Amino acid sequence: IHLCIASPQSDLYSAETMASSSLSSLLIKADERVSSLSSCSSRRHSGRFAGVCGPTRRSAALNTICCTLSNNVASSSSSSSSSSSIEGDYYEFCNHACYYESKGDRERARVHVVFLHGFGTGTFHYRKQLETLGGRIDDDDDDDDDDDDDDGSMMMCAWSMDICGQGKSWPRKKEDIAEFEYSMDTWAKQVEFFVREIVLRGARKEDKPTKVVLAGNSLGGKLALYVSATCDDAVDGIMLLNATPFWGFLKKRIGFLNKENDVLVRLTQPYWDTFRSKENVRRLLNMVYADETKIEESLIDDIIEPTENEFAIRAFISTFTSPKASKMSYDEMLETIRDRNESLRVGLVYGREDPWVVPLWGQRLKRVIKNATYYELSPVGHCPNDEAPEAVNIVIESLVRDWFFNDSDDDAFKASSVPLPKSIQGVSIELVDGSPRNAFEKMDYWKDQFFVRKTNIKSDA
């Protein structure tokens, strides 16, 4: 049983725990601790989500075993269960054991930032954010009093989650994915479930409502857009890190293109083996990172590890043959978020040297959502969270402060807010207003203006 735990130095490592007792004795122990299931209630579906994936087949005994083992391992390390270290755990969603990590005081935090990863990565891609932002208190208040009513303390809890079919979020047997799609719609439901049932379950009371921010890179950015556009009561802010505007090209699934097709699986296998090879992963990272020295061998290993899962190739096939988001298009997501105005805060943090999601896309998004705050980092590529974590973290901290803490009545706290530096660790931080700067951006701007004028003429007619 692989458990992810935190060392006293907050470095995560994988420990393979061998249970000395037999499975039957574990089941007996689980039976004796049924009363503790309430502490694991986050692993059960609420009524709101009961129809999303059908009934879960994970037994109560297995849930209890997982909780027991997690608690025993955590208690063996003096710091692993505290808010000062990154903690890892699992919850149940649609017959998948889904993994997440968090850092910070879940009950006292006024803001919860949930990081959503891009395709092929996972929670490991955000550890540099969790380490810095989780549990952060910025008012220099050394008072150890646990008074929840202290407006002067800026407390955040940082989370990252593996979407189904990525990272460590996998089914247990083939039958569990027979009717399951690895798609935008499914992942959006998973994110909403995670926010409501895991993040908010033990959050602050109504005297000072908890704020939730979704922060996503690449595919995770589009997921953040989709969830915030369709679940306006669950999200208070989004931060897009080189969010992809594209995902899925089919309006509906083509019958034979499915993960249950064993012939298709066999035909895909050679490409899959090449695609997930260390050489190809390194080549792709070299393509999208502006500074190749920032690509660590551990990152390559972390990306390849999930592809060893027995269901990985089927998840890969399902992902790339699944239909587009069914509820709205990318442009409709932007328009919905724009219409929410100040009720949803929007921040953009884009690497300027991204060859895939070029700055033009950030400019376009800024023109639609005019109240968005847009920063460009340079020289930074497609994954600013990993390539320039110091710059990303300071921008996120600044935006969270401005959005949710500067309404404080504490003048000393307001005064502590300082302008962002122009650069950090060799990375420039530039506030961008969305105005076109080169020929390609100007052409895109003129196209948008022509479309808006044409639409207005038709509306007037």
Side-chain angles (χ1 to χ4, degrees), residues 210-221:
T210 298
K211 302 295 183 181
V212 174
V213 176
L214 297 181
N217 170 235
S218 193
L219 167 63

Side-chain angles (χ1 to χ4, degrees), residues 259-277:
K259 63 185 181 301
E260 283 77 36
N261 186 334
D262 291 335
V263 174
L264 181 59
V265 171
R266 288 195 295 272
L267 290 174
T268 305
Q269 189 71 55
Y271 174 78
W272 170 243
D273 290 337
T274 301
F275 180 78
R276 69 192 184 96
S277 68

Side-chain angles (χ1 to χ4, degrees), residues 184-195:
M184 283 291 295
D185 283 343
T186 300
W187 292 327
K189 291 172 184 175
Q190 181 189 358
V191 172
E192 183 187 358
F193 177 86
F194 181 77
V195 169

Side-chain angles (χ1 to χ4, degrees), residues 138-169:
D138 280 77
D139 64 337
D140 298 326
D141 183 4
D142 295 327
D143 187 2
D144 292 330
D145 191 291
D146 287 338
D147 183 6
D148 285 357
D149 295 327
D150 181 9
D151 274 331
S153 60
M154 189 176 90
M155 302 188 65
M156 285 190 285
C157 188
W159 307 71
S160 60
M161 55 167 281
D162 287 343
I163 60 176
C164 292
Q166 308 277 308
K168 297 180 182 179
S169 294

Side-chain angles (χ1 to χ4, degrees), residues 48 101 202 307 362 380 458:
R48 175 183 175 84
E101 294 179 353
T307 68
V380 179
K458 286 184 177 181

Side-chain angles (χ1 to χ4, degrees), residues 309-362:
N309 187 280
E310 62 178 306
F311 304 110
I313 188 171
R314 295 182 186 272
F316 177 79
I317 291 171
S318 177
T319 295
F320 284 97
T321 59
S322 62
K324 299 179 180 180
S326 64
K327 295 182 180 180
M328 58 182 66
S329 67
Y330 176 75
D331 289 337
E332 289 170 336
M333 295 177 199
L334 299 187
E335 292 166 1
T336 302
I337 291 170
R338 176 200 63 197
D339 294 342
R340 285 187 61 182
N341 201 12
E342 294 298 328
S343 67
L344 180 73
R345 309 302 181 93
V346 181
L348 314 176
V349 188
Y350 279 51
R352 187 178 295 168
E353 283 70 34
D354 185 352
W356 290 351
V357 184
V358 296
L360 178 148
W361 290 105

